[in-house]
Amino acid sequence: MVNEKRLEIVYSTLLGIDKETENFDISLIEGAIVSDEDIERLKGIRRRSKILIAMGSCAVLGGVPSLRRFTSEQELRNVYNVVYVPHLGDALPLSKFVTVDYYLRGCPINKYELLNLLEKLSQNEWFKQEERRFLFLREKPFNLEGVALSLDGEKCIVCGRCVKICQEMTSAIDYINRSLETAISTPFKVKLDESTCISCGQCILYCPVSAIMEKSYVAEVWKLLNSGMHLTAYVEPEVLIALSEALKSDVGGQLVTALKKIGFEKVVLWKPQTEFNTSDQLTIIPSSEAEAIFVQRFYPDLIDYMAPPPRIKDNCIVWFSPCIARKLSGSLILTTRELIRLLGTMDLNSLTKTQFDEVKLDASNKHEVEVVGMEEVRKTLESIREGRLKTGRVVLYVCPRGCLHGGGQLLQS
Ligand code: SF4
Ligand code: SF4
């Protein structure tokens, strides 16, 4: 391409090329952004470039330098036994500061992927960011379907974040194929619900391009609201906390106003409870379908000790939850993210406050032990299996830090 003069390199510090040029057709940028100087330089390049490509893991995701945020000074001193510790800021991907048109993942990147992209761009074969990103590379993008969530292979950049977090949950997904055909799938490409997936939705929180998303029921709720049906909204406290944190003020009262404005008759603040036998017998209480499926698949010998997960049997209730797995319960569930979509452009902070019609937070759970996070859940179930834990009520939460970090919560930028 360069020889045929379809592309001319006008600037490259590596190649020692610096031809005076006002604007660029294509800019390829490697490396993470670590300083204010980097940010300014990046913004300047963005202004002068028609197309900006983030090249490699550091530019795409922050890469290895970003790991420093998990390392304390003390750890560095312990490992390297030196007093000097560099005080650098966070290492962040380009997309944190500017619009990125194309991503070339990997460390190092795949040179054929780069050449293919340049080839297409030099032939003016543009494609929009939201369209298939690697149209010319993959014959068949591989989609994964599930009842509560699905993976859109056209959007997936195969960064592997979902695989990593799922290894901490149930290892339901992994890489398949090789080279440019690499994709994310379940073993033997079975549907998510037929794999070991428990619909916890943690992979959604980690996917940088929203290739994995929950099945949305916003349209169904609008249909019911528009039909004039008398609907009640049941809101879990964690939904309210996430919204209030995002908007930096307690917006409970404003949320009630907003939901009534769009047609809900009643709004209830509710902590889901399950029904179980109150005898002294050991009881495993799954906080959602995710924990129930986990026990069924991995500890089937303990099913007899398990109570059903919380459910609502009322067609006139829309349940707002931080949990993706509740979508398997048969109730009409909207996650915190879907609630935001339902409210559209409504500015909660500008609304007046209305009281909840009912607050049902009273949990008669004095005698319950709460087990939070997959590792602790596994340890507890092992203890029960081995007969070391014989009595009590044990409530399981597989998500890290519990429902506050449920798969349906707001995505962090
Ligand atoms: S929902 Fe949970 S179990 Fe299923 S693929 Fe995602 S992280 Fe793995
Ligand atoms: S996290 Fe998203 S983009 Fe990355 S591999 Fe998984 S589905 Fe693909």
Side-chain angles (χ1 to χ4, degrees):
M1 272 178 288
V2 173
N3 289 343
E4 293 165 26
K5 275 282 185 193
R6 275 191 282 139
L7 283 178
E8 184 190 2
I9 301 172
V10 291
Y11 182 83
S12 165
T13 41
L14 200 64
L15 300 175
I17 300 173
D18 187 1
K19 300 182 185 172
E20 293 238 328
T21 317
E22 187 60 30
N23 293 314
F24 309 116
D25 287 321
I26 302 169
S27 290
L28 291 148
I29 301 185
E30 283 186 298
I33 301 302
V34 297
S35 64
D36 291 344
E37 199 187 331
D38 283 353
I39 298 171
E40 284 316 306
R41 211 160 152 233
L42 174 66
K43 286 184 176 168
I45 296 172
R46 176 67 273 190
R47 277 195 294 274
R48 295 165 64 198
S49 311
K50 278 192 203 154
I51 294 171
L52 190 141
I53 302 172
M55 191 160 91
S57 292
C58 295
V60 173
L61 294 167
V64 173
S66 64
L67 293 179
R68 70 167 72 127
R69 83 181 64 130
F70 304 112
T71 313
S72 69
E73 278 191 25
Q74 191 55 49
E75 279 173 56
L76 286 174
R77 283 174 210 267
N78 292 346
V79 173
Y80 296 109
N81 195 24
V82 286
V83 178
Y84 170 71
V85 173
H87 291 272
L88 290 171
D90 211 347
L92 296 163
L94 308 189
S95 56
K96 186 88 186 158
F97 305 100
V98 295
T99 302
V100 173
D101 299 303
Y102 298 99
Y103 298 89
L104 289 169
R105 64 173 190 89
C107 181
I109 60 152
N110 183 308
K111 70 176 178 187
Y112 299 108
E113 211 164 353
L114 168 64
L115 288 174
N116 269 320
L117 179 57
L118 293 179
E119 177 86 46
K120 287 288 165 186
L121 295 179
S122 71
Q123 291 166 357
N124 277 333
E125 290 194 27
W126 316 100
F127 55 98
K128 287 194 210 125
Q129 185 72 27
E130 64 271 17
E131 289 173 4
R132 274 180 65 176
R133 286 156 201 231
F134 301 105
L135 188 64
F136 44 89
L137 292 180
R138 294 200 194 120
E139 285 298 307
K140 281 190 234 140
F142 188 73
N143 300 326
L144 263 183
E145 289 304 323
V147 172
L149 69 161
S150 59
L151 187 158
D152 181 345
E154 304 225 6
K155 286 188 186 162
C156 173
I157 55 169
V158 201
C159 68
R161 285 174 160 211
C162 54
V163 173
K164 180 97 185 47
I165 186 66
C166 193
Q167 280 166 355
E168 291 173 27
M169 305 310 286
T170 59
S171 296
I173 49 176
D174 210 329
Y175 297 100
I176 57 163
N177 305 337
R178 302 180 70 179
S179 185
L180 300 178
E181 293 298 323
T182 305
I184 305 296
S185 177
T186 52
F188 306 109
K189 300 182 183 173
V190 297
K191 288 186 177 165
L192 278 167
D193 308 289
E194 291 162 22
S195 72
T196 54
C197 174
I198 54 172
S199 300
C200 63
Q202 289 300 307
C203 46
I204 297 176
L205 297 179
Y206 285 83
C207 180
V209 293
S210 299
I212 309 187
M213 283 302 278
E214 68 268 26
K215 287 281 176 70
S216 178
Y217 291 94
V218 172
E220 278 74 0
V221 172
W222 270 121
K223 218 181 270 173
L224 294 179
L225 286 168
N226 291 336
S227 73
M229 195 167 163
H230 300 290
L231 288 177
T232 301
Y234 270 48
V235 182
E236 288 189 46
E238 289 80 5
V239 171
L240 205 50
I241 293 169
L243 278 184
S244 297
E245 269 185 5
L247 296 171
K248 296 189 174 32
S249 73
D250 176 3
V251 290
Q254 288 91 334
L255 178 63
V256 179
T257 309
L259 288 170
K260 292 203 167 178
K261 238 177 156 141
I262 61 171
F264 280 93
E265 196 169 278
K266 279 168 133 193
V267 184
V268 177
L269 185 62
W270 181 61
K271 179 85 190 153
Q273 291 293 306
T274 191
E275 289 162 15
F276 56 87
N277 189 339
T278 50
S279 73
D280 285 342
Q281 197 200 332
L282 172 74
T283 311
I284 299 169
I285 304 172
S287 56
S288 77
E289 268 66 14
E291 291 77 11
I293 298 170
F294 182 69
V295 173
Q296 282 158 11
R297 299 229 168 108
F298 294 90
Y299 295 87
D301 46 317
L302 304 184
I303 287 177
D304 289 347
Y305 297 111
M306 191 166 69
R311 286 194 183 136
I312 298 179
K313 296 179 201 116
D314 187 334
N315 294 338
C316 296
I317 289 175
V318 179
W319 181 351
F320 293 92
S321 173
C323 179
I324 296 278
R326 292 210 199 290
K327 285 181 182 279
L328 304 174
S329 70
S331 302
L332 188 48
I333 307 285
L334 294 198
T335 61
T336 310
R337 288 190 294 274
E338 289 172 284
L339 168 61
I340 302 248
R341 269 175 255 148
L342 185 76
L343 296 180
T345 53
M346 210 182 285
D347 176 11
L348 282 187
N349 274 326
S350 70
L351 298 178
T352 52
K353 297 182 180 183
T354 310
Q355 294 226 324
F356 282 97
D357 293 283
E358 218 177 322
V359 176
K360 297 187 189 177
L361 297 178
D362 168 47
S364 50
N365 57 3
K366 287 195 284 287
H367 307 296
E368 292 172 358
V369 176
E370 298 200 326
V371 180
V372 179
M374 188 50 107
E375 202 184 329
E376 293 305 313
V377 165
R378 278 184 207 275
K379 278 190 205 160
T380 305
L381 292 172
E382 287 298 329
S383 300
I384 296 174
R385 183 177 262 173
E386 289 163 14
R388 284 183 280 124
L389 184 58
K390 295 180 180 160
T391 55
R393 292 179 203 146
V394 185
V395 190
L396 305 181
Y397 300 86
V398 287
C399 290
R401 302 196 295 283
C403 301
L404 264 183
H405 197 63
Q409 292 288 58
L410 302 181
L411 302 174
Q412 304 296 318
S413 57

